[in-house]
Amino acid sequence: MSVKSRTFEIISRGSDGDRASKLFDGVIMALIAVSIVSIILESFDGFAAQYYGILHGLEVLCVIVFSIEYALRIWTADLLYPESKHPRLKYVFSFLAIVDLLAILPFYLPFVSADLRFLRMMRLFRLVRLFRIFKLGRYLDALNIIADVIKGTLSQLVISVIICFFVMLFSSIVMYTVENPVQPEQFPNVIASLWWAICTLTTVGYGDVYPITAVGRVFAAIISVVGIGIIAIPTGIIAAGFTSAINRNSQAKDDPKKFCPYCGHKLDD
Amino acid sequence: MSVKSRTFEIISRGSDGDRASKLFDGVIMALIAVSIVSIILESFDGFAAQYYGILHGLEVLCVIVFSIEYALRIWTADLLYPESKHPRLKYVFSFLAIVDLLAILPFYLPFVSADLRFLRMMRLFRLVRLFRIFKLGRYLDALNIIADVIKGTLSQLVISVIICFFVMLFSSIVMYTVENPVQPEQFPNVIASLWWAICTLTTVGYGDVYPITAVGRVFAAIISVVGIGIIAIPTGIIAAGFTSAINRNSQAKDDPKKFCPYCGHKLDD
Amino acid sequence: MSVKSRTFEIISRGSDGDRASKLFDGVIMALIAVSIVSIILESFDGFAAQYYGILHGLEVLCVIVFSIEYALRIWTADLLYPESKHPRLKYVFSFLAIVDLLAILPFYLPFVSADLRFLRMMRLFRLVRLFRIFKLGRYLDALNIIADVIKGTLSQLVISVIICFFVMLFSSIVMYTVENPVQPEQFPNVIASLWWAICTLTTVGYGDVYPITAVGRVFAAIISVVGIGIIAIPTGIIAAGFTSAINRNSQAKDDPKKFCPYCGHKLDD
Amino acid sequence: MSVKSRTFEIISRGSDGDRASKLFDGVIMALIAVSIVSIILESFDGFAAQYYGILHGLEVLCVIVFSIEYALRIWTADLLYPESKHPRLKYVFSFLAIVDLLAILPFYLPFVSADLRFLRMMRLFRLVRLFRIFKLGRYLDALNIIADVIKGTLSQLVISVIICFFVMLFSSIVMYTVENPVQPEQFPNVIASLWWAICTLTTVGYGDVYPITAVGRVFAAIISVVGIGIIAIPTGIIAAGFTSAINRNSQAKDDPKKFCPYCGHKLDD
């Protein structure tokens, strides 16, 4: 086996007994975790000042390792897409590769890396890869069911969100009209009023903005009750999706190829 | 084809290849969107002052286009309702026509159009037409399922809202009795107390009004727990509605009259 | 027909064509509504002072009519329970009769009626009778389904509430221990801490009491996430109940006596 | 019957007619309840000072009785695990025995029992045993169904919580980056920002921390809407679990192996 195919094996999800592949996966996951923990620790003023050297060192290590990994993945792209004409181009423009690049590239651009806040946001892209953690172990089935249900009900959920947005827009314009003359500081414009609408319809209710006029409160009351419906619709859609998924699963398990689970009729193979 | 029938074709939902009809639809939708965006922008003090001319011009343009559209729809009403004796009257009193008229009429009445707040509310009627956006594209099925589920469970949802209102009324009277002597400013009367009840039962909880007496808190605690039920009932109704809709859909696809919907066994007629 | 049986017919739910019975029902319902509206209006200081005479007069009218109704119901109790040995005693101790009595009795006791707050609470018993409004009209089916679902899932809902109470008690004791030394005014004792636990677990979140220590916040975070589960369990129970009720209904409608809805087999009558 | 086996009978869940066993159970439950009520009462400053003697006496009584019970359970462990080689060791390291020990041990350690807060936390372990209350009476079935549903959907619920945690971590880092420069006191670091994320995603919304910048509010709005989904997923999972449990129950009752569960038609074996 060539060095290239062995490298590909290691950086891909290897077979169960492949120790090198597991080690590689573990190191990458650990470095992502270290990177996220660094972001959290850096946000503490005292800590960031005292341990700047260590945090910066870890970050440099992460970027180097992720860069090497990125390079190796490009190198072995022709093994990943054996039938593609331009396997490396295909890989570079794949979703995960773009995410990987965005998480490391800024550190090589001096004029960009001066903006620490921007750098932090870019490092967040690494979180995406942490989702690979689900691939290991016994939770994979459960994750697949959740993903299937969300995919299966996606168009209905999108409609719910759009309806929700319409209701929010409508109620924020009404509330702005009603409350602005009385509370010009709380409801200065429709966008600020939209903030109230979102807080109310999602039932978060921070309490920083709320109507004080009689008309405003009556309208807010109606919107609050509508808000229950706005929450109930996606919940209902998802619940129905899971019910349907469980039914499909239990039918599959009953082995429908031998007997119909409902009428008991022996089935033709 | 006469000019009239061609006009009717264009302003109706045209066939797939009808470019003029699609253009017309697009222009109307765009103007509605412009109109809504204008409402939002006007609410910013500085913006409204600086760009008054542009905003007013856009509004005049919208009103003119919508007026022409309204006139054309009346003109072609006899093609929409070919079997009606009074097609134009029928159209004028249809729900969508009334909404369309309310969204433009006030601008022609000088004594009304002086009240900017009233004008803004009337322009909101245009939002209703934005819902036609769902008719285009792949989300139509999903919207229909949601609409069917809400229609099918409407009477139960209405009952839930009525029960909810009874619980709110009951708890606001009790809370007024308990809290008024201690917090006369927060609970001045039953209606103000109703505001608390709505905020609590919908779990919004702004935190502007809350009980401080021991009895009030015990009662509020009970009402909060009841509030979970008040949310759970419509959610449960809608979830059951979606589960039932999904079941019907999958059964319908299998044509249960000839074959068992589960095993595919041909059934004896 | 004797005067007594006619009276009984009128005060009972009469047959569809019985105008006197409908009138009686309407008058009683209207007086209950008047009574509730009076409670609301009395709570407005200015209104109560200005219209004291009218409000008091309406209340006296209500009490007189309800007293006569109560007397008539006792008089005709032997027609309601024809097989009972002591029909009047049985009626007097029935749930609805006790509620009716509690709603009028205090007004005849001078030493009691001096306490206006107590009087107001007693008048609230009349709200119970307003539920009879559902018996009229097309929402009766929907109400019955909701009532059946709640009855069918009651023991599970009770368990949920008990579990919820355990979690609340547990978390309030923990939170008191953690926060009391830092915020003695917000968490003076376990009962006050319970108020926080209820506000958090029901996701109302008024924001009058919240943890400020690091340990308290970590614990509150865990409890908030548990709170989602506490809401999800009754919602799930009720949703499953409605799903099951709809399935039963649609099976009943398919007329299962002729063909099995699942295997299509002709059924023996 | 030896004293030992009789003792074992009494401290185990005895047969229905065993009065001594019921009395023992009752006394233990009552003492646990007394212990919990003591914790609540002790938290009231005045009460604790005035009735210190009684509260302390009750606590000593509880510890003595629980210690005797613990000793008896160790003594009779060989009857509980007749097939085990080391029944006492097995009992001592069982979950319930550890909980029992933790609830009494600290009171025998003078250097530990000086810390009243620590003692209180340890006494909370007794709450675990209160769950045995469900074993008595008619709610056992309902509790079993709830426990089965939670067990059956546990892996999906765990995934939901992990996804929820990822979303919280992600949004708290973003919000820290956006709001820290403007509100350094409200968002001093990522962990404090996590507190905001939890309050928002669970829709508790205390209102002690919320974004004030435009970017922060837009992001918070998106997160609030995502929060509805975060709540909807576990609710949907649990609802589907209950629907499935009800279906299984009704199918199990009908014995599907011999007759079609729906039409009762005898099936060909």
Side-chain angles (χ1 to χ4, degrees), chain B residues 34-78:
Chain B
V34 161
S35 179
I36 302 298
V37 171
S38 293
I39 294 177
I40 295 171
L41 292 176
E42 275 169 29
S43 75
F44 289 85
D45 282 344
F47 195 93
Q50 204 173 347
Y51 298 98
Y52 175 77
I54 296 172
L55 290 171
H56 188 70
L58 283 172
E59 184 53 30
V60 169
L61 177 69
C62 285
V63 171
I64 290 172
V65 173
F66 294 155
S67 302
I68 293 171
E69 188 208 355
Y70 185 73
L72 291 177
R73 287 193 191 277
I74 290 180
W75 181 43
T76 61
D78 49 348

Side-chain angles (χ1 to χ4, degrees), chain B residues 153-160 162-163 166 169-170 173-174 176-181 188-192 196 199-200 203-211 216-218 220-222 224-225 228-229 231-233 235-237 239-241 243-244 247 251 256 260-262 267-269, chain C residues 36 39-45 117-118 120-121 124-125 127-128 130-131 133-134 138-143 145-146 150 161 164 168 186 192 195 198-199 201-209 230-231 234-236 238-244 246-247 254 259 261-266:
Chain B
T153 57
L154 197 59
S155 60
Q156 289 171 35
L157 291 175
V158 167
I159 291 283
S160 309
I162 294 174
I163 291 175
F166 268 62
L169 191 61
F170 175 80
I173 294 174
V174 171
Y176 163 74
T177 307
V178 172
E179 292 286 323
N180 174 267
N189 53 56
V190 169
I191 298 299
W196 165 82
C199 284
T200 301
T203 76
V204 170
Y206 289 125
D208 53 337
V209 193
Y210 49 82
R217 289 192 164 189
V218 169
I222 295 166
S224 298
V225 173
I228 294 180
I231 293 173
I233 289 174
T235 307
I237 291 169
T243 302
S244 168
N247 282 348
Q251 279 180 27
C260 170
Y262 293 93
L267 300 167
D268 322 325
D269 287 311
Chain C
I36 302 299
I39 294 177
I40 296 171
L41 292 176
E42 275 170 29
S43 75
F44 288 85
D45 281 344
R117 289 172 62 192
F118 181 75
R120 189 178 325 127
M121 299 304 267
L124 270 185
F125 280 114
L127 258 175
V128 173
L130 260 194
F131 265 87
I133 219 165
F134 290 122
R138 59 193 168 126
Y139 289 116
L140 187 55
D141 274 358
L143 184 67
I145 291 175
I146 293 177
I150 291 175
V161 169
C164 179
M168 281 171 181
Q186 305 294 326
W195 171 246
I198 291 164
C199 284
L201 276 168
T202 59
T203 77
V204 169
Y206 288 125
D208 54 337
V209 193
I230 294 290
I231 293 172
T235 307
I238 290 174
F242 277 105
T243 302
S244 168
I246 286 177
N247 281 349
D254 282 358
F259 293 97
Y262 291 91
C263 67
H265 176 72
K266 193 154 190 266

Side-chain angles (χ1 to χ4, degrees), chain D residues 178-200:
Chain D
V178 173
E179 292 287 323
N180 174 268
V182 184
Q183 305 188 78
E185 282 181 25
Q186 305 294 326
F187 294 89
N189 52 56
V190 170
I191 298 299
S193 186
L194 194 60
W195 172 246
W196 165 82
I198 290 164
C199 284
T200 301

Side-chain angles (χ1 to χ4, degrees), chain C residues 48-116:
Chain C
Q50 204 173 348
Y51 298 97
Y52 175 76
I54 296 173
L55 291 172
H56 189 70
L58 283 172
E59 183 53 30
V60 169
L61 178 67
C62 285
V63 171
I64 290 171
V65 173
F66 295 156
S67 302
I68 294 170
E69 188 208 355
Y70 185 73
L72 290 177
R73 287 194 190 276
I74 290 180
W75 181 42
T76 61
D78 49 349
L79 297 171
L80 184 64
Y81 305 114
E83 292 170 17
S84 171
K85 273 190 187 173
H86 306 288
R88 275 160 207 180
L89 224 63
K90 190 174 174 184
Y91 175 72
V92 167
F93 288 103
S94 69
F95 173 71
L96 285 176
I98 291 170
V99 164
D100 283 5
L101 187 64
L102 287 172
I104 51 172
L105 192 66
F107 298 82
Y108 293 110
L109 309 174
F111 55 93
V112 166
S113 63
D115 183 348
L116 285 172

Side-chain angles (χ1 to χ4, degrees), chain B residues 252-269:
Chain B
K253 276 187 189 158
D254 297 344
D255 193 5
K257 279 182 189 156
K258 291 189 179 158
F259 297 94
C260 170
Y262 293 93
C263 66
H265 175 67
K266 195 158 187 261
L267 300 167
D268 322 325
D269 287 311

Side-chain angles (χ1 to χ4, degrees), chain A residues 43-44 117 120 203 205-206 262-263, chain D residues 177 189-190 196 200 205 207 267:
Chain A
S43 74
F44 288 85
R117 289 172 61 192
R120 190 179 323 128
T203 77
Y206 289 125
Y262 290 91
C263 67
Chain D
T177 305
N189 52 56
V190 170
W196 165 82
T200 301
L267 300 166

Side-chain angles (χ1 to χ4, degrees), chain C residues 249-261 267 269:
Chain C
N249 259 21
S250 69
Q251 280 180 27
K253 272 188 191 160
D254 282 358
D255 194 3
K257 280 179 189 158
K258 290 187 180 159
F259 293 97
C260 170
L267 300 167
D269 287 312

Side-chain angles (χ1 to χ4, degrees), chain B residues 137-151:
Chain B
R138 59 193 169 127
Y139 289 115
L140 187 56
D141 274 359
L143 184 67
N144 281 341
I145 291 175
I146 294 177
D148 283 356
V149 167
I150 292 175
K151 261 185 227 160

